[in-house]
Amino acid sequence: MKVMKFGGTSVGRPERMKQVATLVTQQEEPVLVVLSALAGTTNSLVEIGNFLAAGKKQEAAQIIDQLEKHYHSFVEQLVSGKEARQDASQILEEHFGFLRIIQRISFSEALRRDILAQGELLSTKLFGVYCSENKLSHALLPALDFMILDEQDEPAVSVISTRLKALVEANADKKLLITQGYICRNSKGEVDNLKRGGSDYTASLVAAAAGASVCEIWTDIDGMHNNDPRVVEKTFPVEQLSFDEAAELAYFGAKILHPASIWPAQQFQVPVRLLNTMEPRAKGTLISSLPAAPGVKAVAAKDNIIAIRIKSSRMLLAYGFLRKIFEVFEKYRTPIDMITTSEVAVSLTIDTDQHLAAILEELSPFGHVEVDREQTIVSLVGFEITTTPAILSNLALAVKEIPVRMISYGGSPHNISLLVPATAKTKLLQQLNKEIFGLS
Ligand code: ADP
Ligand code: ASP
Ligand code: MG
């Protein structure tokens, strides 16, 4: 079995959804299709949740109306038969009916997550209607029945595997299985999600759980590019990446992959392919355990980083100081991305301000604490890059006139990370394109 995941733009228009059906039915192996919500839907659902949280019911109702209109015209172009149109209308009634009812009940965070789940429920069900109309034998596997989080809000891999395998077996006569990306249930049994962009994570988790031959991530670009194509003009697709390289790029901001989406495939040795729905013949990127060639493969940028500096003369010749600092971050379950130390100070970065106030308070007895917000981590990722001499000298050229706040070099031979103010990101990515990849 192979897993094929299609992102929002890949199903965002009726003709694209039809193309997805063609693609998945051309496969020799049975396919488990993971679908995102139609492009733009999750953003609208986020807005609806925000308006309801703020008690702005009219504003929420307005977005619900717009969204419903959009779905009605989508369905009109997707299916033409009477029965299919009726089925599709019923689906819209069910989900938009839900969105209307919740305007009348009191808001909660659990309700917000229920709202966010509507996009993937709609896209998969409508895709199912299209498949039925076109006599494509298929089964819908509800992600809420098998995609389960544990008490730490991490995917409960063995539960997912057992439940998914049972569902796949029960539908062994079907060559086409369809499920929702992104949505899941938490340990309390509530509807939850795998965070924005989480359908990639679903795909990797189900590919690992089902022992798939490959996990294909179909999107709107022909693979992982060497640099962020939203920021830099001339970029090119990278043909091959190791799991480690892809995991670092995803974690450090390459939006094409959800930050956590590589580890399940890596752990269960399922190769991942990044492919372009708009150009299915393009080679894309293969991510596998094949040995990587030395050199920088790509650079990525992670925004909204907060840098914290703790200065203390008590650090001088002391041991146990770093442990105490790390314990504060551990207590608030806040991961540290970058760290640099001098004899009297330590600088580190985090990517969330969720517990910042409490963290700062607990750090204050250790010394003078300074905070810089709106920073960006720019990472160079590849294989043995710190041991390839030309890279460091080219990097020196690329940081010309860039106010670098931190550098992390040597932690791994495969990654060099720089922390810069967000305002310097574009210039740095462009200069790296020139000095590291020879593109101007
Ligand atoms: P989907 O909706 O299919 O999940 P995303 O928008 O999440 O698609 O991811 C694809 C987008 O990621 C591309 O359109 C591109 O703009 C952006 N992107 C950022 N960095 C990279 C990169 N290094 N390589 C390819 N795409 C990237
Ligand atoms: N629909 C969700 C989002 O927009 C998940 C995804 O597309 O991967 O974030
Ligand atoms: Mg995505």
Side-chain angles (χ1 to χ4, degrees), residues 5-10 36 197 199-200 217-221 223-230 249 253-257 298-300:
K5 176 258 167 175
F6 294 87
T9 36
S10 302
S36 293
S199 300
D200 304 327
I217 308 276
W218 290 80
T219 182
D220 58 359
I221 190 165
M224 177 75 76
H225 278 221
N226 70 305
N227 204 329
D228 193 329
R230 294 166 301 175
L249 286 167
K255 193 198 170 213
I256 187 169
L257 285 171
V299 300

